[in-house]
Amino acid sequence: MLSIPVFVGFHPITFPNPRMTSIRPHFDNPELIRDAAFVNGEWVRSSGSTFEVTDPATGQVIAKLPDQPVAVVDEAIEAASNAFKSYRKTTTRQRSAWLRNLFNLMTENAQDLGKIVSWENGKPLAEAVGEVKYAASYFEWFAEEAPRVYGTVIQPANPSNRVFTERVPVGVCGIVCPWNFPSAMITRKAAPAFAAGCTVVLKPDSQTPLSALALAYLAQKAGFPPGVFNVVLSHTKTPEFGLKLCKSPKIRKVSFTGSTAVGKILMQQSASTLKKLSMELGGNAPFIVFEDADLDAAVAQALACKFRGMGQTCVCANRLYVQRTVMDKFSAKLANEVSKFVIGPGLQDNVTHGPLINAKAIQKVEEHVQDATEKGAKVVLAGGRLPELGDNFYAPTILSNVPSNARVNSEETFGPLCAITAFDTAEEVVKYANDTELGLASYVFSKNIDTVYTVAEALEAGMVSCNTGLFSEASIPFGGVKESGFGREGSLHGIEDYTVLKTITIGGLPERL
Ligand SMILES: NC(=O)c1ccc[n+]([C@@H]2O[C@H](COP(=O)([O-])OP(=O)(O)OC[C@H]3O[C@@H](n4cnc5c(N)ncnc54)[C@H](O)[C@@H]3O)[C@@H](O)[C@H]2O)c1
Ligand SMILES: O=CCCC(=O)O
């Protein structure tokens, strides 16, 4: 019998400080902090109502921004539509140069941009700077892809015809993004759009708009012409803004990252104008550990995967399936590592894990924990709220023996709950893993290549990550299947979603000589 330490009943996590009420980072380049929307190359400060952006660590108001009227969406669409007329004709080399400039500017300002991400989103500064570099890498990648958009020459049945295809920019794109990656979720869409020759109207999340505005500021500095990148702001009228983007005949594509529920609304609303769509939606990632895996490595990767953004990423492990023979050992090792976390405001030195985004996020974690324990899950590490740090802090909870009917198995928790379930065979775990409407990321850990390969093949997911918990980078096609959405971002395919394939036939030609 293994002797398993169980951490039930106390929080072994260390805290750097008691609750803090105010943290204002120092910015080398204060110009990056904008207080207005950005339309047609101009900063727009409407005199009407405003909304507050708050630091999730302290609750402190960090910015007041215009809560714009819906009419601004029409203005931004008009600006983007006018800009498209000339921008689509720019050479791919020119667009590549602007993208490269923006990559360089983001890289030069990475520390400041990281502080903005950390301030408005809560993730630790090192992780936030990592996000900024990841975000910038999409501009580097698509600077390289811009000149590599190819067509084909086709052999038609009619000998007097000659036929070829070319990829042309789809047109003005409406982009809607979430708060969990305030920078990277935008650049993963804007970079291929700009590279393809499209113009953009972006509506960032009102909880994290400062990163989007800093990006607009740098895009202007990088040389993008007015109207190519427009950022509109709303807190109270988000659905109306979404509706405008979906219904406008001038917007030819809507690209959305967020929940499956909102994705479905936007898809319905886009039907009347038959928009091209990209939908990067929710996940419910299974993280499968076989008994022959390197257990220490699997634990380290589970930590990196599960606790990136304190569990608030679409590719975070949501369900951990561990082979029965090693489940207790794995759970104990995981709890031991989690107990080393230093939780606190992301901008504070040495903090490894920050707050959640808001009260609703904490409530969902609590509900999932309560539901699973009521249904018989065993508490390995009792986490819970950390009011001594602030309203949005939650120490991770680890549960094992989580029953299949627990809510966490069918819904994305999007927070720091590790829900571990035992399995016996590969067939059984593949059945568990695929028993969901979602299919974004999946993870498999085993030293046996036969196991890794056959399980990876059987998993219904857009992305399967084997023996690593971190796989995201600009070079890979990112996207889901089933109700996790469609479209691919990044990679050589990412630009295709911002183009349409046009066929040109030249008829009446003489026979070939
Ligand atoms: N697949 C991916 O690449 C990916 C990446 C990040 C996050 N996500 C998913 O996003 C979700 C978390 O983000 P969230 O809580 O911000 O999601 P959300 O769907 O609530 O919001 C996403 C964005 O849509 C906006 N929005 C909400 N209702 C809208 C409406 N009716 N019309 C137009 N816009 C509207 C929000 O303001 C926000 O900017 C999770 O499900 C996560 O898995 C997916
Ligand atoms: O939240 C989802 C995006 C995560 C990523 O790009 O790795």
Side-chain angles (χ1 to χ4, degrees):
M1 227 4 216
L2 275 170
S3 161
I4 305 297
V6 173
F7 296 94
V8 182
F10 70 101
H11 301 148
I13 291 114
T14 50
F15 315 120
N17 262 317
R19 180 187 278 256
M20 298 190 66
T21 51
S22 167
I23 305 173
R24 189 180 172 88
H26 163 81
F27 293 101
D28 289 335
N29 183 0
E31 296 239 307
L32 290 167
I33 308 293
R34 313 304 304 184
D35 61 358
F38 188 67
V39 175
N40 206 20
E42 305 282 340
W43 294 99
V44 184
R45 271 174 209 83
S46 53
S47 51
S49 49
T50 56
F51 69 92
E52 293 176 344
V53 182
T54 53
D55 175 352
T58 61
Q60 176 203 15
V61 175
I62 58 181
K64 283 189 183 166
L65 295 174
D67 197 7
Q68 296 188 290
V70 181
V72 79
V73 185
D74 290 319
E75 287 165 31
I77 293 172
E78 200 55 35
S81 179
N82 287 335
F84 179 65
K85 290 176 194 148
S86 49
Y87 186 67
R88 71 184 178 86
K89 294 187 203 156
T90 53
T91 65
T92 56
R93 279 282 157 217
Q94 174 61 79
R95 300 204 286 269
S96 174
W98 285 325
L99 284 152
R100 169 68 63 174
N101 291 347
L102 187 44
F103 163 71
N104 289 336
L105 285 167
M106 285 189 77
T107 307
E108 281 162 28
N109 289 280
Q111 284 301 321
D112 274 356
L113 294 171
K115 287 178 192 168
I116 297 175
V117 167
S118 180
W119 206 19
E120 63 182 356
N121 164 284
K123 63 181 74 174
L125 182 58
E127 191 176 340
V129 172
E131 179 191 334
V132 169
K133 291 182 180 166
Y134 173 49
S137 75
Y138 284 98
F139 288 113
E140 181 184 44
W141 179 266
F142 285 107
E144 291 155 355
E145 288 297 304
R148 296 191 172 75
V149 175
Y150 296 103
T152 49
V153 176
I154 290 165
Q155 303 298 331
N158 184 336
S160 62
N161 287 355
R162 304 290 187 275
V163 182
F164 60 95
T165 65
E166 60 173 357
R167 286 208 164 264
V168 297
V170 61
V172 181
C173 299
I175 293 180
V176 180
C177 283
W179 49 266
N180 71 335
F181 285 84
S183 185
M185 293 304 97
I186 298 171
T187 64
R188 198 153 77 184
K189 297 174 187 303
F194 297 158
C198 300
T199 58
V200 166
V201 178
L202 165 73
K203 162 45 188 95
D205 194 293
S206 61
Q207 293 167 105
T208 57
L210 295 175
S211 297
L213 297 173
L215 202 60
Y217 168 81
L218 292 179
Q220 190 177 35
K221 291 259 174 263
F224 285 99
V228 171
F229 189 31
N230 305 278
V231 184
V232 292
L233 298 171
S234 177
H235 177 59
T236 54
K237 294 171 218 74
T238 290
E240 290 91 327
F241 273 44
L243 188 67
K244 274 268 175 212
L245 293 175
C246 294
K247 293 255 175 196
S248 167
K250 289 190 174 170
I251 298 268
R252 294 312 315 156
K253 177 185 170 85
V254 166
S255 183
F256 173 69
T257 294
S259 63
T260 295
V262 173
K264 286 179 181 177
I265 294 172
L266 298 183
M267 193 164 169
Q268 266 176 351
Q269 291 175 350
S270 297
S272 65
T273 48
L274 282 180
K275 296 253 188 294
K276 192 172 165 93
L277 295 170
S278 287
M279 290 284 158
E280 296 288 344
L281 309 178
N284 181 4
F287 188 101
I288 302 169
V289 181
F290 284 88
E291 62 188 0
D292 62 2
D294 175 337
L295 220 55
D296 288 332
V299 166
Q301 294 302 311
L303 289 170
C305 171
K306 174 70 230 182
F307 293 106
R308 190 169 162 229
M310 204 47 158
Q312 302 172 108
T313 89
C314 57
V315 292
C316 277
N318 197 54
R319 301 167 288 157
L320 288 93
Y321 293 113
V322 183
Q323 206 153 15
R324 195 174 307 280
T325 43
V326 294
M327 184 181 74
D328 285 344
K329 208 167 157 189
F330 178 91
S331 311
K333 279 175 182 279
L334 195 68
N336 189 44
E337 292 304 317
V338 169
S339 71
K340 297 176 189 161
F341 285 6
V342 180
I343 300 180
L347 284 166
Q348 211 172 301
D349 286 347
N350 304 323
V351 160
T352 60
H353 294 79
L356 272 70
I357 189 71
N358 56 31
K360 210 169 137 207
I362 298 234
Q363 197 186 328
K364 187 161 190 197
V365 180
E366 277 184 336
E367 283 171 14
H368 279 196
V369 171
Q370 191 184 342
D371 169 76
T373 46
E374 279 172 7
K375 288 173 179 159
K378 179 175 134 194
V379 180
V380 178
L381 183 67
R385 286 178 190 261
L386 297 169
E388 56 274 43
L389 286 184
D391 294 343
N392 295 333
F393 288 92
Y394 187 99
T397 297
I398 302 179
L399 303 177
S400 68
N401 297 90
V402 174
S404 57
N405 65 346
R407 267 179 71 189
V408 57
N409 281 328
S410 54
E411 283 174 34
E412 182 184 36
T413 306
F414 226 56
L417 163 62
C418 286
I420 304 173
T421 299
F423 72 90
D424 294 299
T425 66
E427 290 74 13
E428 179 194 7
V429 78
V430 165
K431 203 161 150 267
Y432 289 157
N434 289 341
D435 186 18
T436 166
E437 288 312 315
L438 301 173
L440 193 60
S442 293
Y443 302 85
V444 189
F445 285 76
S446 165
K447 279 191 178 158
N448 182 329
I449 187 69
D450 294 355
T451 305
V452 167
Y453 201 86
T454 52
V455 172
E457 275 179 333
L459 289 171
E460 295 169 359
M463 300 166 289
V464 183
S465 180
C466 307
N467 292 325
T468 176
L470 297 174
F471 62 86
S472 303
E473 56 168 291
S475 62
I476 68 141
F478 192 104
V481 297
K482 298 172 28 181
E483 292 193 12
S484 288
F486 48 82
R488 291 295 177 265
E489 298 189 328
S491 81
L492 76 162
H493 303 291
I495 202 165
E496 287 165 12
D497 277 8
Y498 292 87
T499 67
V500 281
L501 195 61
K502 183 169 185 175
T503 306
I504 298 178
T505 300
I506 302 176
L509 291 172
E511 275 186 28
R512 288 168 194 270
L513 297 175

